[in-house]
Amino acid sequence: MKYTGNTISKPVVGKEAKALVKAVKSGGYIANEQGIATAKRIAEQIVKRETDAGDKI
């Protein structure tokens, strides 16, 4: 999967990996305040970049 933002992926291991597998199997998700804030910031950057590119056409 390609990301349009500047992201750095890290492997998921240990307790976090088990929790992630459990969430995926149950159709749930895992999130914390810092993760939600990061996702919002990335989304805002992408929208701004697309909006700015649209203004130049």
Side-chain angles (χ1 to χ4, degrees):
M1 175 182 225
K2 286 189 172 186
Y3 295 97
T4 58
N6 296 328
T7 61
I8 299 172
S9 297
K10 293 182 180 180
V12 180
V13 296
K15 290 191 296 184
E16 291 84 6
K18 289 179 183 178
L20 181 60
V21 169
K22 184 178 177 182
V24 168
K25 286 183 177 180
S26 69
Y29 65 93
I30 297 176
N32 59 26
E33 294 302 319
Q34 184 180 5
I36 293 170
T38 300
K40 285 182 180 180
R41 189 171 60 250
I42 291 169
E44 288 169 357
Q45 290 172 358
I46 293 169
V47 169
K48 183 178 184 319
R49 189 177 316 130
E50 290 175 353
T51 302
D52 291 347
D55 291 343
K56 295 178 183 177
I57 296 176

Short mmCIF file of all heavy atoms in Angstrom, two decimals:
data_model
loop_
_atom_site.label_atom_id
_atom_site.label_comp_id
_atom_site.label_asym_id
_atom_site.label_seq_id
_atom_site.Cartn_x
_atom_site.Cartn_y
_atom_site.Cartn_z
N MET A 1 0.84 -1.18 0.00
CA MET A 1 0.00 0.00 0.00
C MET A 1 0.89 1.24 0.00
O MET A 1 1.82 1.35 0.78
CB MET A 1 -0.89 -0.05 1.24
CG MET A 1 -1.72 1.17 1.43
SD MET A 1 -2.67 1.03 2.96
CE MET A 1 -4.22 1.58 2.36
N LYS A 2 0.59 2.16 -0.87
CA LYS A 2 1.36 3.40 -0.91
C LYS A 2 0.66 4.47 -0.10
O LYS A 2 -0.56 4.60 -0.15
CB LYS A 2 1.52 3.88 -2.35
CG LYS A 2 2.48 3.07 -3.15
CD LYS A 2 2.74 3.75 -4.48
CE LYS A 2 3.86 3.05 -5.20
NZ LYS A 2 4.24 3.74 -6.40
N TYR A 3 1.44 5.22 0.66
CA TYR A 3 0.91 6.33 1.44
C TYR A 3 1.29 7.63 0.77
O TYR A 3 2.40 7.77 0.28
CB TYR A 3 1.49 6.29 2.86
CG TYR A 3 1.07 5.08 3.65
CD1 TYR A 3 1.88 3.98 3.75
CD2 TYR A 3 -0.17 5.06 4.28
CE1 TYR A 3 1.49 2.86 4.47
CE2 TYR A 3 -0.57 3.95 5.00
CZ TYR A 3 0.27 2.86 5.10
OH TYR A 3 -0.15 1.77 5.80
N THR A 4 0.37 8.57 0.73
CA THR A 4 0.67 9.84 0.08
C THR A 4 1.35 10.82 1.02
O THR A 4 1.90 11.81 0.59
CB THR A 4 -0.61 10.49 -0.47
OG1 THR A 4 -1.52 10.65 0.60
CG2 THR A 4 -1.24 9.62 -1.55
N GLY A 5 1.33 10.55 2.31
CA GLY A 5 1.98 11.42 3.29
C GLY A 5 3.37 10.92 3.60
O GLY A 5 3.81 9.87 3.12
N ASN A 6 4.10 11.66 4.37
CA ASN A 6 5.42 11.24 4.81
C ASN A 6 5.27 10.41 6.07
O ASN A 6 5.27 10.93 7.16
CB ASN A 6 6.31 12.46 5.09
CG ASN A 6 6.56 13.26 3.83
OD1 ASN A 6 6.63 12.69 2.76
ND2 ASN A 6 6.70 14.55 3.96
N THR A 7 5.14 9.08 5.90
CA THR A 7 4.93 8.21 7.05
C THR A 7 6.08 7.23 7.18
O THR A 7 6.74 6.90 6.20
CB THR A 7 3.62 7.42 6.92
OG1 THR A 7 3.68 6.62 5.75
CG2 THR A 7 2.42 8.34 6.84
N ILE A 8 6.32 6.78 8.37
CA ILE A 8 7.34 5.77 8.63
C ILE A 8 6.64 4.61 9.33
O ILE A 8 6.06 4.78 10.40
CB ILE A 8 8.46 6.33 9.52
CG1 ILE A 8 9.15 7.50 8.82
CG2 ILE A 8 9.46 5.24 9.85
CD1 ILE A 8 10.14 8.23 9.70
N SER A 9 6.69 3.44 8.72
CA SER A 9 6.03 2.27 9.29
C SER A 9 7.00 1.53 10.20
O SER A 9 8.19 1.44 9.91
CB SER A 9 5.57 1.33 8.19
OG SER A 9 4.61 1.97 7.38
N LYS A 10 6.47 1.02 11.29
CA LYS A 10 7.26 0.21 12.21
C LYS A 10 6.56 -1.13 12.37
O LYS A 10 5.33 -1.21 12.29
CB LYS A 10 7.37 0.89 13.57
CG LYS A 10 8.16 2.17 13.54
CD LYS A 10 8.25 2.75 14.94
CE LYS A 10 9.03 4.05 14.94
NZ LYS A 10 9.14 4.61 16.29
N PRO A 11 7.32 -2.21 12.61
CA PRO A 11 6.69 -3.51 12.80
C PRO A 11 5.88 -3.55 14.10
O PRO A 11 6.22 -2.87 15.06
CB PRO A 11 7.87 -4.48 12.85
CG PRO A 11 9.04 -3.66 13.22
CD PRO A 11 8.77 -2.27 12.68
N VAL A 12 4.83 -4.34 14.10
CA VAL A 12 4.01 -4.52 15.29
C VAL A 12 4.42 -5.85 15.92
O VAL A 12 4.38 -6.88 15.25
CB VAL A 12 2.51 -4.52 14.94
CG1 VAL A 12 1.66 -4.71 16.16
CG2 VAL A 12 2.14 -3.24 14.21
N VAL A 13 4.82 -5.82 17.18
CA VAL A 13 5.29 -7.04 17.84
C VAL A 13 4.73 -7.14 19.25
O VAL A 13 4.18 -6.17 19.78
CB VAL A 13 6.85 -7.08 17.91
CG1 VAL A 13 7.46 -7.14 16.53
CG2 VAL A 13 7.39 -5.87 18.66
N GLY A 14 4.85 -8.33 19.83
CA GLY A 14 4.49 -8.52 21.23
C GLY A 14 3.01 -8.36 21.52
O GLY A 14 2.14 -8.78 20.75
N LYS A 15 2.71 -7.70 22.67
CA LYS A 15 1.32 -7.50 23.10
C LYS A 15 0.54 -6.69 22.08
O LYS A 15 -0.64 -6.94 21.85
CB LYS A 15 1.28 -6.78 24.45
CG LYS A 15 1.74 -7.62 25.61
CD LYS A 15 1.43 -6.99 26.95
CE LYS A 15 2.19 -5.70 27.13
NZ LYS A 15 2.00 -5.09 28.46
N GLU A 16 1.21 -5.72 21.46
CA GLU A 16 0.53 -4.89 20.47
C GLU A 16 0.09 -5.72 19.27
O GLU A 16 -1.00 -5.53 18.72
CB GLU A 16 1.42 -3.73 20.00
CG GLU A 16 1.68 -2.69 21.05
CD GLU A 16 2.83 -3.06 21.99
OE1 GLU A 16 3.51 -4.08 21.75
OE2 GLU A 16 3.03 -2.34 22.98
N ALA A 17 0.93 -6.67 18.84
CA ALA A 17 0.58 -7.52 17.71
C ALA A 17 -0.62 -8.40 18.05
O ALA A 17 -1.53 -8.57 17.24
CB ALA A 17 1.78 -8.38 17.31
N LYS A 18 -0.63 -8.97 19.26
CA LYS A 18 -1.76 -9.80 19.68
C LYS A 18 -3.05 -8.98 19.73
O LYS A 18 -4.10 -9.45 19.29
CB LYS A 18 -1.47 -10.43 21.03
CG LYS A 18 -0.41 -11.51 20.98
CD LYS A 18 -0.13 -12.09 22.35
CE LYS A 18 0.99 -13.12 22.26
NZ LYS A 18 1.33 -13.70 23.56
N ALA A 19 -2.96 -7.77 20.25
CA ALA A 19 -4.15 -6.91 20.32
C ALA A 19 -4.63 -6.56 18.93
O ALA A 19 -5.84 -6.53 18.67
CB ALA A 19 -3.83 -5.65 21.12
N LEU A 20 -3.70 -6.30 18.02
CA LEU A 20 -4.07 -5.95 16.64
C LEU A 20 -4.75 -7.13 15.95
O LEU A 20 -5.78 -6.97 15.29
CB LEU A 20 -2.84 -5.51 15.85
CG LEU A 20 -3.07 -5.10 14.41
CD1 LEU A 20 -4.04 -3.92 14.33
CD2 LEU A 20 -1.75 -4.73 13.75
N VAL A 21 -4.21 -8.33 16.11
CA VAL A 21 -4.82 -9.52 15.51
C VAL A 21 -6.23 -9.72 16.06
O VAL A 21 -7.17 -9.99 15.30
CB VAL A 21 -3.94 -10.77 15.77
CG1 VAL A 21 -4.68 -12.04 15.41
CG2 VAL A 21 -2.65 -10.68 15.00
N LYS A 22 -6.39 -9.56 17.36
CA LYS A 22 -7.72 -9.72 17.98
C LYS A 22 -8.70 -8.69 17.42
O LYS A 22 -9.85 -9.01 17.10
CB LYS A 22 -7.60 -9.55 19.49
CG LYS A 22 -8.88 -9.77 20.24
CD LYS A 22 -8.68 -9.63 21.74
CE LYS A 22 -9.98 -9.77 22.49
NZ LYS A 22 -9.81 -9.59 23.93
N ALA A 23 -8.25 -7.44 17.27
CA ALA A 23 -9.13 -6.39 16.74
C ALA A 23 -9.52 -6.67 15.30
O ALA A 23 -10.68 -6.51 14.92
CB ALA A 23 -8.43 -5.03 16.84
N VAL A 24 -8.56 -7.12 14.49
CA VAL A 24 -8.84 -7.39 13.08
C VAL A 24 -9.84 -8.54 12.96
O VAL A 24 -10.79 -8.47 12.19
CB VAL A 24 -7.54 -7.70 12.32
CG1 VAL A 24 -7.83 -8.26 10.93
CG2 VAL A 24 -6.68 -6.44 12.22
N LYS A 25 -9.61 -9.60 13.73
CA LYS A 25 -10.50 -10.77 13.65
C LYS A 25 -11.92 -10.43 14.11
O LYS A 25 -12.88 -11.01 13.61
CB LYS A 25 -9.94 -11.91 14.49
CG LYS A 25 -8.75 -12.59 13.83
CD LYS A 25 -8.26 -13.76 14.66
CE LYS A 25 -7.11 -14.47 13.95
NZ LYS A 25 -6.62 -15.62 14.74
N SER A 26 -12.05 -9.52 15.05
CA SER A 26 -13.38 -9.18 15.56
C SER A 26 -14.03 -8.03 14.79
O SER A 26 -15.16 -7.65 15.08
CB SER A 26 -13.29 -8.79 17.04
OG SER A 26 -12.61 -7.55 17.19
N GLY A 27 -13.30 -7.46 13.81
CA GLY A 27 -13.84 -6.35 13.04
C GLY A 27 -13.72 -5.02 13.77
O GLY A 27 -14.32 -4.04 13.37
N GLY A 28 -12.91 -4.99 14.82
CA GLY A 28 -12.73 -3.76 15.60
C GLY A 28 -11.53 -2.97 15.14
O GLY A 28 -11.05 -3.14 14.01
N TYR A 29 -11.03 -2.13 16.01
CA TYR A 29 -9.86 -1.33 15.70
C TYR A 29 -9.14 -0.99 17.00
O TYR A 29 -9.66 -1.18 18.08
CB TYR A 29 -10.24 -0.05 14.96
CG TYR A 29 -11.08 0.90 15.79
CD1 TYR A 29 -10.48 1.91 16.53
CD2 TYR A 29 -12.47 0.78 15.83
CE1 TYR A 29 -11.25 2.78 17.29
CE2 TYR A 29 -13.23 1.64 16.58
CZ TYR A 29 -12.61 2.64 17.31
OH TYR A 29 -13.36 3.50 18.07
N ILE A 30 -7.92 -0.49 16.84
CA ILE A 30 -7.12 -0.05 17.97
C ILE A 30 -6.73 1.39 17.70
O ILE A 30 -6.24 1.71 16.62
CB ILE A 30 -5.85 -0.90 18.14
CG1 ILE A 30 -6.24 -2.34 18.46
CG2 ILE A 30 -4.95 -0.33 19.22
CD1 ILE A 30 -5.08 -3.28 18.56
N ALA A 31 -6.96 2.25 18.66
CA ALA A 31 -6.58 3.66 18.48
C ALA A 31 -6.32 4.28 19.84
O ALA A 31 -6.89 3.88 20.84
CB ALA A 31 -7.68 4.43 17.76
N ASN A 32 -5.44 5.27 19.84
CA ASN A 32 -5.23 6.07 21.04
C ASN A 32 -5.26 7.53 20.60
O ASN A 32 -5.31 7.84 19.41
CB ASN A 32 -3.93 5.70 21.75
CG ASN A 32 -2.70 5.89 20.89
OD1 ASN A 32 -2.70 6.70 19.97
ND2 ASN A 32 -1.65 5.14 21.17
N GLU A 33 -5.26 8.43 21.54
CA GLU A 33 -5.38 9.86 21.21
C GLU A 33 -4.25 10.32 20.30
O GLU A 33 -4.46 11.09 19.37
CB GLU A 33 -5.41 10.68 22.49
CG GLU A 33 -6.65 10.45 23.34
CD GLU A 33 -7.94 10.74 22.59
OE1 GLU A 33 -8.00 11.74 21.86
OE2 GLU A 33 -8.88 9.95 22.74
N GLN A 34 -3.03 9.85 20.57
CA GLN A 34 -1.89 10.26 19.75
C GLN A 34 -2.04 9.75 18.32
O GLN A 34 -1.78 10.46 17.36
CB GLN A 34 -0.59 9.74 20.36
CG GLN A 34 0.65 10.21 19.62
CD GLN A 34 1.93 9.68 20.26
OE1 GLN A 34 1.88 8.89 21.20
NE2 GLN A 34 3.05 10.12 19.76
N GLY A 35 -2.51 8.51 18.18
CA GLY A 35 -2.71 7.95 16.85
C GLY A 35 -3.79 8.67 16.07
O GLY A 35 -3.66 8.93 14.88
N ILE A 36 -4.87 9.01 16.75
CA ILE A 36 -5.96 9.74 16.10
C ILE A 36 -5.49 11.13 15.67
O ILE A 36 -5.78 11.57 14.55
CB ILE A 36 -7.18 9.83 17.04
CG1 ILE A 36 -7.77 8.43 17.25
CG2 ILE A 36 -8.23 10.79 16.50
CD1 ILE A 36 -8.81 8.34 18.34
N ALA A 37 -4.72 11.80 16.52
CA ALA A 37 -4.20 13.12 16.17
C ALA A 37 -3.27 13.04 14.97
O ALA A 37 -3.32 13.89 14.07
CB ALA A 37 -3.48 13.73 17.37
N THR A 38 -2.44 12.02 14.93
CA THR A 38 -1.52 11.84 13.80
C THR A 38 -2.30 11.60 12.51
O THR A 38 -1.99 12.19 11.47
CB THR A 38 -0.56 10.67 14.06
OG1 THR A 38 0.21 10.96 15.24
CG2 THR A 38 0.40 10.46 12.90
N ALA A 39 -3.30 10.74 12.56
CA ALA A 39 -4.10 10.45 11.37
C ALA A 39 -4.81 11.71 10.87
O ALA A 39 -4.86 11.96 9.66
CB ALA A 39 -5.11 9.35 11.68
N LYS A 40 -5.36 12.49 11.78
CA LYS A 40 -6.02 13.74 11.39
C LYS A 40 -5.05 14.70 10.74
O LYS A 40 -5.36 15.33 9.73
CB LYS A 40 -6.68 14.41 12.60
CG LYS A 40 -7.94 13.74 13.05
CD LYS A 40 -8.57 14.48 14.22
CE LYS A 40 -9.85 13.82 14.68
NZ LYS A 40 -10.46 14.52 15.81
N ARG A 41 -3.84 14.81 11.30
CA ARG A 41 -2.83 15.71 10.76
C ARG A 41 -2.42 15.28 9.35
O ARG A 41 -2.32 16.10 8.44
CB ARG A 41 -1.61 15.76 11.68
CG ARG A 41 -0.62 16.83 11.32
CD ARG A 41 0.48 17.01 12.37
NE ARG A 41 1.25 15.79 12.56
CZ ARG A 41 1.22 15.02 13.64
NH1 ARG A 41 0.45 15.33 14.65
NH2 ARG A 41 1.96 13.94 13.72
N ILE A 42 -2.24 13.97 9.14
CA ILE A 42 -1.87 13.46 7.82
C ILE A 42 -3.00 13.73 6.83
O ILE A 42 -2.75 14.19 5.70
CB ILE A 42 -1.55 11.96 7.89
CG1 ILE A 42 -0.24 11.74 8.67
CG2 ILE A 42 -1.46 11.34 6.50
CD1 ILE A 42 0.03 10.30 9.02
N ALA A 43 -4.24 13.48 7.24
CA ALA A 43 -5.38 13.71 6.35
C ALA A 43 -5.49 15.19 5.98
O ALA A 43 -5.75 15.53 4.81
CB ALA A 43 -6.66 13.23 7.00
N GLU A 44 -5.29 16.07 6.94
CA GLU A 44 -5.35 17.51 6.66
C GLU A 44 -4.27 17.93 5.68
O GLU A 44 -4.51 18.76 4.80
CB GLU A 44 -5.23 18.29 7.96
CG GLU A 44 -6.46 18.20 8.84
CD GLU A 44 -6.25 18.75 10.24
OE1 GLU A 44 -5.12 19.16 10.58
OE2 GLU A 44 -7.22 18.73 11.03
N GLN A 45 -3.07 17.36 5.82
CA GLN A 45 -1.97 17.69 4.90
C GLN A 45 -2.31 17.24 3.48
O GLN A 45 -2.07 17.96 2.52
CB GLN A 45 -0.67 17.02 5.35
CG GLN A 45 -0.07 17.61 6.60
CD GLN A 45 1.11 16.81 7.12
OE1 GLN A 45 1.46 15.77 6.56
NE2 GLN A 45 1.72 17.29 8.19
N ILE A 46 -2.90 16.05 3.36
CA ILE A 46 -3.26 15.53 2.04
C ILE A 46 -4.34 16.39 1.41
O ILE A 46 -4.24 16.76 0.23
CB ILE A 46 -3.71 14.06 2.14
CG1 ILE A 46 -2.52 13.18 2.54
CG2 ILE A 46 -4.33 13.58 0.84
CD1 ILE A 46 -2.90 11.77 2.94
N VAL A 47 -5.36 16.74 2.18
CA VAL A 47 -6.44 17.59 1.66
C VAL A 47 -5.90 18.95 1.24
O VAL A 47 -6.24 19.46 0.17
CB VAL A 47 -7.57 17.73 2.70
CG1 VAL A 47 -8.56 18.81 2.29
CG2 VAL A 47 -8.27 16.41 2.90
N LYS A 48 -5.04 19.53 2.05
CA LYS A 48 -4.46 20.84 1.72
C LYS A 48 -3.64 20.76 0.44
O LYS A 48 -3.74 21.61 -0.43
CB LYS A 48 -3.59 21.35 2.87
CG LYS A 48 -3.03 22.74 2.62
CD LYS A 48 -2.21 23.22 3.81
CE LYS A 48 -1.70 24.62 3.68
NZ LYS A 48 -1.22 25.05 2.42
N ARG A 49 -2.84 19.71 0.31
CA ARG A 49 -2.02 19.55 -0.89
C ARG A 49 -2.89 19.41 -2.12
O ARG A 49 -2.63 20.01 -3.16
CB ARG A 49 -1.13 18.31 -0.73
CG ARG A 49 -0.08 18.19 -1.81
CD ARG A 49 0.85 17.01 -1.63
NE ARG A 49 1.31 16.88 -0.26
CZ ARG A 49 1.27 15.75 0.44
NH1 ARG A 49 0.80 14.65 -0.11
NH2 ARG A 49 1.72 15.70 1.66
N GLU A 50 -3.98 18.62 -2.02
CA GLU A 50 -4.89 18.45 -3.16
C GLU A 50 -5.64 19.74 -3.47
O GLU A 50 -5.85 20.06 -4.63
CB GLU A 50 -5.86 17.31 -2.87
CG GLU A 50 -5.19 15.95 -2.88
CD GLU A 50 -6.12 14.82 -2.49
OE1 GLU A 50 -7.28 15.11 -2.07
OE2 GLU A 50 -5.69 13.68 -2.57
N THR A 51 -6.03 20.48 -2.44
CA THR A 51 -6.74 21.75 -2.63
C THR A 51 -5.81 22.77 -3.31
O THR A 51 -6.21 23.46 -4.24
CB THR A 51 -7.24 22.30 -1.29
OG1 THR A 51 -8.09 21.33 -0.71
CG2 THR A 51 -8.00 23.60 -1.49
N ASP A 52 -4.56 22.83 -2.81
CA ASP A 52 -3.60 23.75 -3.41
C ASP A 52 -3.31 23.40 -4.86
O ASP A 52 -3.18 24.27 -5.71
CB ASP A 52 -2.28 23.75 -2.61
CG ASP A 52 -2.44 24.38 -1.24
OD1 ASP A 52 -3.47 25.04 -0.99
OD2 ASP A 52 -1.53 24.22 -0.40
N ALA A 53 -3.24 22.11 -5.18
CA ALA A 53 -3.00 21.69 -6.54
C ALA A 53 -4.19 22.04 -7.43
O ALA A 53 -4.02 22.41 -8.59
CB ALA A 53 -2.73 20.18 -6.59
N GLY A 54 -5.40 21.93 -6.88
CA GLY A 54 -6.61 22.27 -7.63
C GLY A 54 -6.71 23.74 -7.94
O GLY A 54 -7.24 24.14 -8.96
N ASP A 55 -6.17 24.58 -7.03
CA ASP A 55 -6.19 26.03 -7.26
C ASP A 55 -5.30 26.45 -8.40
O ASP A 55 -5.51 27.49 -9.01
CB ASP A 55 -5.75 26.77 -5.98
CG ASP A 55 -6.78 26.62 -4.85
OD1 ASP A 55 -7.93 26.25 -5.16
OD2 ASP A 55 -6.42 26.89 -3.71
N LYS A 56 -4.29 25.66 -8.70
CA LYS A 56 -3.31 26.02 -9.74
C LYS A 56 -3.78 25.66 -11.13
O LYS A 56 -3.17 26.06 -12.10
CB LYS A 56 -1.97 25.32 -9.45
CG LYS A 56 -1.35 25.81 -8.17
CD LYS A 56 -0.06 25.09 -7.86
CE LYS A 56 0.50 25.57 -6.52
NZ LYS A 56 1.71 24.84 -6.15
N ILE A 57 -4.87 24.89 -11.23
CA ILE A 57 -5.35 24.47 -12.56
C ILE A 57 -6.07 25.59 -13.25
O ILE A 57 -6.67 26.43 -12.74
CB ILE A 57 -6.27 23.23 -12.45
CG1 ILE A 57 -5.45 22.08 -11.93
CG2 ILE A 57 -6.89 22.88 -13.75
CD1 ILE A 57 -6.26 20.81 -11.67
#
